[in-house]
Amino acid sequence: MGSLDLPQSPNVFHPEKPSAVGSRNSLAQDYRDQQKEVNQLIEEETNKVLHHLSTKLPKDVLERLDVMGGLKEKLYNYFNQNYQNMFNRYMVTAEDEMLKKVRGFIDREEMKVLNRYTPKEIATLLDEVGGADKFNTGEIEKSIVNMYGHLQGHVQRGINDLETLTNSLLRQKTDVGAFVRGENAYSIVKCAFKDNIIKPKTVTDVKLSVNILDTELISPIFQYQATVEYLIKDLLSGHLMNLIDKEIEVLKDELIDEGKEEMTDSEIIFKKMGKVLDVTDDDVENPESKRYSVVSKELMERIANLRAEIDPETFDQLNVRENIKHIIDIENIRNRGFNTAINSLTSILDTSKMGYQYIENLKNARELLLREYDDTNVANLPDERYQIRLRYYDNAQLLEERKAYEVMVRSFETEVEHLWDVLQTQYDKSKFMVRITDFGDLAKLYEKHIQKKYKMPKGEPAYKDIAKVWDEISFVNAAETDVEKMNRTFVYEKDKMRKKLVIMRERLKKMYDYQYPVERRVMEERLAFLEAEFNKFDYLINPFHMQPGLLLDVDITSIKRKKATLDGMANVLNEFLHGVSKGFMDQAFASFSRRRSTVRADIAQTFGSGEEDEPAAGTPSGRAQFLDVLNETPSLEAPAAETVSRTPAATRGRRGTAKTKKAGAVDSTASKGRRGRKSGVRTL
């Protein structure tokens, strides 16, 4: 059997040996005089620069530069040092990489030959033990790639955390980006940093609200009051969607195998919509309906309106509905999602040394209250503390929350407007026996004169006859469309109330100056109360911008220069979101199953034992075939253009003649198709 010796250059380190690591020389250069070639190139570049300088610069400047002496030598040395190092290292690296590719190609071809010519007994034994596909290393390789990918992801997250904390320390400022990482930022409903009311200079309060949608939860959450019928229908819906996805994947594979164009994202969506009619329908009354193909109509009627608890008077262990409920309860579908979220949060808090003294798990309400300290009096609590509220909201609960939120906004508007009217009345009374106090008094004094002197001659309406749209507090708000009506932000209303509160406080100061009559004290107390309550309300989450899912509401108080609780809770929340939420997934990227560039017949190696794998009479062995391929490969000394132009033509010529020649004794049809395909792919 023939042999081929290739220099093992990557295993040798020497500055002069050809193709060694760190060498200035390469075998592919066929011992050319590199120094002469480089000197010629550098001499030409130096002369070009000097010629350019001599034509562009004045004569007196050239004499100072001493172009023909020191400058030429400096340019020559500069080009020589940088260009030669860069060019030689690049060439040697490229050539070494090419030789490594050749060595890898040899190893792969040798392994193919070994696989192809495995003795029959071994191939039969492997097939009888577990099948040829059981000895494929593809799954192991995928697992290793996934492990390295996760390791790289954890390392990258650690580096990002370190960089974020370093920047925060240098800036002496903590922002939302330092608190919640970028990959989870989309789930934030509200995050606000503000100074503590009692200690504004040293302590900061943080309000963070994260909304994890139903579709993003790894383990779905259901309300405790959800009926068994609802749970089974949800399971059936997921089962039907999986069937549709499998059919779409089969359709994709068929298109790829046939060499047709792959479906676009829109076509996939329409195909899925068309498949829905194949698995279900809306005919509720018909027992033969497709919707009852998995669970019969009779069973669905038995469990109608069956909730988590059955009346003890009607409970019977042998009834159909009790047994169906027992199956659902054993699988723990009803409580699995919320219990998983609670266990994940508490275990992360324990592991990260973020202990808590108070916890209340309202299981039936799907709500968890957790505080670091049992005491709720702010005056008795330390400056480093936190509290967490975890609750699951469905669509019906959110609708009621939105109604209550809107009623509360309107109530604040009424109270602020009432205080505004009281203050305005008191202000008007304070102007008794005073002719001019503000601009309104002056304008009223000159009203008739302006109308007679300026408006009537021009035919323009008087100021009092023009509709006053702007209230001089906030700008005119645009008319609401269906979008604003269904997703109310209340930003305009809140800003208007906030401005009115500020204006009223300033007006009180101007009205009474240093005097404190009973009227001022009463209005200031009311104003302070409304401001405090409005700030608390503004601190809450607007339910119009929440969606059904899990809400994580965190209140943190931390010292500004210490931030121990803040940093610890940031790690806890990121780990919690990583363990509970699947995160945002773009289906355009997640829908790729396989591509033509990744589908090759020689990727999945199997052990064959058929007659078609045996070499025909007179056919050279696999090793000899490989040596013949190497001998037919164009030499590295040939010009690149010649090799590129010659290879396709030669290949087409050989294929064309092979088709027109008559089949001889050596041309075995059984072995020619399979071996010819692989050897054609692997041509150098």
Side-chain angles (χ1 to χ4, degrees):
M1 189 174 291
S3 62
L4 181 65
D5 294 330
L6 291 177
Q8 305 292 322
S9 62
N11 299 330
V12 181
F13 180 84
H14 197 275
E16 295 180 358
K17 287 184 179 181
S19 292
V21 178
S23 174
R24 299 186 298 271
N25 304 312
S26 174
L27 284 174
Q29 296 181 2
D30 198 16
Y31 296 96
R32 294 183 304 184
D33 191 354
Q34 296 183 10
Q35 192 61 41
K36 182 179 179 181
E37 295 173 356
V38 172
N39 290 340
Q40 181 180 359
L41 182 62
I42 294 176
E43 183 74 25
E44 181 182 357
E45 294 295 328
T46 304
N47 290 334
K48 284 183 180 179
V49 175
L50 291 176
H51 178 71
H52 184 74
L53 291 175
S54 61
T55 55
K56 295 294 183 180
L57 296 177
K59 185 177 180 180
D60 53 344
V61 176
L62 290 173
E63 292 175 355
R64 294 181 186 176
L65 288 176
D66 191 15
V67 173
M68 302 307 294
L71 184 58
K72 182 175 182 179
E73 183 179 359
K74 291 177 182 178
L75 285 173
Y76 191 93
N77 292 335
Y78 178 81
F79 277 116
N80 184 21
Q81 180 180 359
N82 291 277
Y83 180 81
Q84 187 169 0
N85 290 338
M86 177 181 65
F87 184 77
N88 288 349
R89 292 291 184 265
Y90 173 76
M91 289 300 298
V92 171
T93 303
E95 291 155 3
D96 289 342
E97 289 296 323
M98 182 186 65
L99 289 178
K100 280 191 270 187
K101 295 291 184 183
V102 174
R103 287 169 53 198
F105 173 77
I106 295 172
D107 295 336
R108 290 194 300 270
E109 292 296 325
E110 287 180 345
M111 290 301 298
K112 287 181 184 178
V113 173
L114 291 176
N115 291 345
R116 187 176 303 163
Y117 294 102
T118 302
K120 280 187 175 181
E121 294 80 10
I122 298 178
T124 305
L125 177 63
L126 292 176
D127 187 70
E128 291 177 354
V129 170
D133 56 338
K134 301 298 182 183
F135 294 88
N136 196 338
T137 60
E139 296 300 325
I140 300 177
E141 294 171 359
K142 291 178 183 178
S143 300
I144 295 175
V145 170
N146 289 334
M147 285 190 291
Y148 277 104
H150 286 299
L151 176 62
Q152 181 65 27
H154 286 300
V155 172
Q156 186 64 40
R157 287 175 59 193
I159 293 175
N160 292 339
D161 293 346
L162 179 61
E163 182 180 356
T164 302
L165 292 175
T166 303
N167 292 334
S168 178
L169 289 174
L170 293 176
R171 291 181 301 165
Q172 285 297 320
K173 178 184 177 183
T174 302
D175 52 15
V176 179
F179 190 70
V180 178
R181 308 297 182 265
E183 63 267 19
N184 294 322
Y186 74 96
S187 61
I188 297 177
V189 179
K190 189 169 187 176
C191 186
F193 288 75
K194 70 174 185 178
D195 295 334
N196 186 266
I197 299 176
I198 301 175
K199 302 176 182 178
K201 292 184 179 180
T202 58
V203 180
T204 182
D205 292 334
V206 181
K207 172 79 169 182
L208 175 68
S209 299
V210 177
N211 188 202
I212 307 172
L213 308 186
D214 277 334
T215 56
E216 298 169 358
L217 290 169
I218 296 176
S219 182
I221 298 177
F222 301 100
Q223 293 287 6
Y224 180 74
Q225 294 78 14
T227 61
V228 177
E229 182 183 9
Y230 177 83
L231 298 178
I232 293 179
K233 286 184 178 180
D234 187 79
L235 292 175
L236 285 174
S237 176
H239 173 69
L240 297 180
M241 289 298 105
N242 290 333
L243 293 178
I244 294 175
D245 291 338
K246 289 179 181 178
E247 293 183 8
I248 295 298
E249 291 298 325
V250 172
L251 182 59
K252 289 181 184 178
D253 294 342
E254 291 177 355
L255 292 176
I256 293 175
D257 295 337
E258 294 173 2
K260 297 181 180 179
E261 291 291 334
E262 299 179 16
M263 292 187 295
T264 62
D265 297 336
S266 300
E267 291 175 345
I268 293 174
I269 293 174
F270 296 142
K271 284 289 183 182
K272 288 184 178 180
M273 294 171 62
K275 295 286 184 182
V276 172
L277 295 176
D278 298 337
V279 295
T280 186
D281 55 32
D282 297 333
D283 192 359
V284 182
E285 301 299 332
N286 185 9
E288 303 298 328
S289 175
K290 294 178 181 178
R291 66 187 289 134
Y292 300 123
S293 59
V294 181
V295 180
S296 65
K297 182 175 184 293
E298 182 182 0
L299 288 180
M300 296 299 292
E301 291 176 350
R302 293 287 184 90
I303 60 177
N305 298 323
L306 178 60
R307 299 188 178 273
E309 299 173 354
I310 301 178
D311 189 359
E313 296 180 358
T314 62
F315 183 83
D316 187 355
Q317 292 89 339
L318 297 181
N319 282 345
V320 175
R321 63 168 188 167
E322 277 80 351
N323 283 278
I324 295 177
K325 180 180 179 299
H326 184 63
I327 294 174
I328 298 297
D329 292 341
I330 290 176
E331 294 295 330
N332 202 18
I333 299 173
R334 187 187 306 274
N335 303 315
R336 183 193 305 159
F338 191 69
N339 292 348
T340 301
I342 293 176
N343 290 341
S344 176
L345 180 60
T346 54
S347 61
I348 293 173
L349 288 172
D350 293 334
T351 305
S352 58
K353 308 302 180 186
M354 299 286 291
Y356 48 92
Q357 293 182 351
Y358 178 86
I359 182 171
E360 186 175 5
N361 186 7
L362 309 176
K363 292 185 177 182
N364 292 358
R366 293 292 185 258
E367 184 174 2
L368 174 72
L369 301 176
L370 191 147
R371 293 196 297 267
E372 185 175 8
Y373 300 100
D374 178 53
D375 194 357
T376 57
N377 188 0
V378 178
N380 300 331
L381 292 174
D383 295 336
E384 292 281 345
R385 63 183 184 273
Y386 71 88
Q387 65 178 8
I388 298 175
R389 177 175 172 263
L390 183 69
R391 186 173 182 183
Y392 175 76
Y393 285 95
D394 58 15
N395 194 36
Q397 289 174 314
L398 285 180
L399 291 176
E400 297 300 325
E401 290 281 342
R402 290 166 184 171
K403 292 178 182 178
Y405 193 86
E406 185 170 6
V407 170
M408 197 66 218
V409 171
R410 303 308 176 194
S411 299
F412 268 111
E413 286 183 335
T414 302
E415 296 301 325
V416 172
E417 190 68 28
H418 182 58
L419 179 60
W420 177 273
D421 294 338
V422 172
L423 181 59
Q424 186 67 33
T425 304
Q426 185 66 21
Y427 178 73
D428 293 339
K429 288 184 176 181
S430 65
K431 295 191 296 183
F432 181 69
M433 298 297 294
V434 179
R435 188 181 184 190
I436 298 175
T437 303
D438 51 20
F439 177 77
D441 298 336
L442 185 61
K444 189 175 182 180
L445 183 63
Y446 295 147
E447 179 181 352
K448 295 181 179 180
H449 180 77
I450 293 174
Q451 183 178 1
K452 182 179 179 180
K453 186 74 174 177
Y454 303 108
K455 299 297 181 180
M456 292 180 63
K458 297 180 181 180
E460 296 178 356
Y463 178 77
K464 64 179 181 179
D465 298 332
I466 300 174
K468 190 173 182 181
V469 182
W470 181 39
D471 58 3
E472 301 182 9
I473 297 175
S474 58
F475 296 121
V476 178
N477 193 20
E480 287 186 344
T481 62
D482 292 338
V483 176
E484 285 80 11
K485 292 178 181 178
M486 299 176 64
N487 304 280
R488 294 189 180 275
T489 61
F490 298 107
V491 174
Y492 177 80
E493 291 83 352
K494 289 181 180 179
D495 288 342
K496 187 173 182 179
M497 285 189 285
R498 191 177 292 107
K499 290 179 180 179
K500 279 191 172 184
L501 292 174
V502 174
I503 292 174
M504 284 190 288
R505 186 166 293 279
E506 293 178 352
R507 182 167 291 183
L508 280 173
K509 291 181 180 179
K510 291 181 180 179
M511 283 174 56
Y512 296 103
D513 200 9
Y514 293 104
Q515 300 177 2
Y516 289 92
V518 64
E519 293 86 356
R520 176 177 181 175
R521 295 198 302 270
V522 170
M523 286 188 290
E524 283 186 344
E525 289 177 0
R526 183 63 178 174
L527 181 60
F529 171 75
L530 289 179
E531 283 183 339
E533 294 300 317
F534 178 76
N535 290 333
K536 291 180 183 179
F537 178 74
D538 191 32
Y539 212 49
L540 299 177
I541 312 164
N542 186 351
F544 281 91
H545 302 290
M546 288 173 53
Q547 297 178 11
L550 197 63
L551 177 67
L552 182 67
D553 199 2
V554 186
D555 292 305
I556 303 173
T557 300
S558 185
I559 301 173
K560 293 183 178 180
R561 293 189 176 273
K562 187 177 181 181
K563 295 184 297 186
T565 305
L566 194 62
D567 296 337
M569 189 55 62
N571 297 328
V572 170
L573 289 178
N574 282 281
E575 290 297 327
F576 175 74
L577 293 175
H578 183 71
V580 175
S581 172
K582 292 182 291 188
F584 173 74
M585 292 188 301
D586 191 346
Q587 292 299 326
F589 293 99
S591 62
F592 294 128
S593 58
R594 62 188 181 111
R595 292 296 179 189
R596 293 191 184 92
S597 59
T598 62
V599 179
R600 295 197 341 242
D602 57 337
I603 286 182
Q605 292 293 321
T606 58
F607 294 97
S609 60
E611 295 181 357
E612 62 177 5
D613 292 330
E614 297 181 359
T619 305
S621 63
R623 184 76 173 181
Q625 287 181 359
F626 172 64
L627 292 175
D628 293 339
V629 172
L630 288 182
N631 293 332
E632 292 178 2
T633 304
S635 174
L636 295 175
E637 300 176 4
E642 181 182 351
T643 304
V644 173
S645 62
R646 174 183 145 193
T647 303
T651 305
R652 289 194 298 271
R654 285 197 296 272
R655 288 179 181 173
T657 55
K659 291 180 180 178
T660 56
K661 283 183 180 180
K662 294 182 179 180
V666 182
D667 301 328
S668 176
T669 306
S671 61
K672 173 178 148 187
R674 182 171 180 178
R675 190 157 47 246
R677 184 183 69 229
K678 290 189 177 182
S679 61
V681 174
R682 293 297 184 183
T683 302
L684 284 174

